[in-house]
Amino acid sequence: METLLEGWTALAGRSRAATAVGAELVARWSEPHRRYHTLDHLRAVLAAIEPLAPVADDADAVRLAAWFHDAIYDGRPAWDEERSAQLAQALLPRCGVAEGRVAEVARLVRLTVIHDPGYDPAGAGDANGAVLCDADLAVLAGEHYDAYARAVREEYRHVPDELFRAGRAQVLRRLLDAPRLYRTARAHDLWEARARANVSAELRLLDGVGAVGGGFTSPAAARTGRDQAEQQLT
């Protein structure tokens, strides 16, 4: 925990306000309902940024965006990211972060809804966005992918099994259909092959499981569950 907060201090400073904001963020990331979007995920994203940081135009903005990108997490895709971006806009000025960087952090947080920065392998476009999105998706190449997938399912435990499987499979197919999972050359070299193998394995598992019976799901609840499952990713 001390190392994590030291990283925050390096970004935001040692003022009383910055210390309070850091403590608030740690408390948010430690909420008991989280299973995947925890302090471990925050640490992992921050660590994944480092080998990609030279690509970014403003690596500290990317690091700050990592701190805020799931600071609010209620399992409501898009809404969570919007509220997290608004939280960054409210708290970062208290730490003395410049207005332009605050705006960039909020933009980057919103970008994690779809993980689709305008960036090409040659290095043109949204470099900050590419670094953050690649770092957030680094988990797909992890050695403990099964644990990650189980944790995501736990966070969507309110979604019925059949709806979750259908939505999750759609997300995974969309990933595999993309020409590249990772936009930066460095992330592509580090993680692409392993991530595609992991995602393909999960998709085969989902496709191989029969429908789960039992219980009645109202049409309204089904639509809500399907919409949430189709948007979940990381």
Side-chain angles (χ1 to χ4, degrees), residues 105-189:
V105 170
R107 183 190 72 82
L108 290 170
V109 171
R110 293 183 173 105
L111 188 60
T112 61
V113 175
I114 57 173
H115 296 90
D116 188 17
Y119 186 83
D120 66 50
D126 183 3
N128 289 342
V131 169
L132 179 63
C133 290
D134 282 0
D136 198 24
L137 295 180
V139 65
L140 299 178
E143 295 181 2
H144 304 290
Y145 184 93
D146 289 349
Y148 146 72
R150 288 193 299 270
V152 170
R153 180 64 186 106
E154 277 289 302
E155 288 191 337
Y156 285 87
R157 54 193 175 276
H158 56 284
V159 178
D161 284 339
E162 185 174 358
L163 294 177
F164 179 85
R165 286 199 302 271
R168 180 72 176 173
Q170 180 174 327
V171 168
L172 299 181
R173 289 191 182 93
R174 188 164 65 240
L175 285 171
L176 292 174
D177 287 344
R180 297 170 66 103
L181 294 175
Y182 301 103
R183 302 306 178 91
T184 64
R186 178 64 170 157
H188 180 82
D189 291 345

Side-chain angles (χ1 to χ4, degrees), residues 76-100:
R76 301 172 64 187
W79 179 241
D80 288 341
E81 287 83 358
E82 177 58 32
R83 292 172 67 207
S84 295
Q86 292 175 6
L87 185 70
Q89 290 172 308
L91 296 184
L92 286 176
R94 302 179 191 176
C95 305
V97 177
E99 181 178 351

Side-chain angles (χ1 to χ4, degrees), residues 1-8 22-23 26-27 30 39 42-43 67:
M1 184 68 71
E2 289 183 5
T3 301
L4 187 63
L5 286 174
E6 286 170 2
W8 169 258
V26 167
S30 303
L39 285 172
L42 173 59
R43 290 188 184 96
W67 272 91

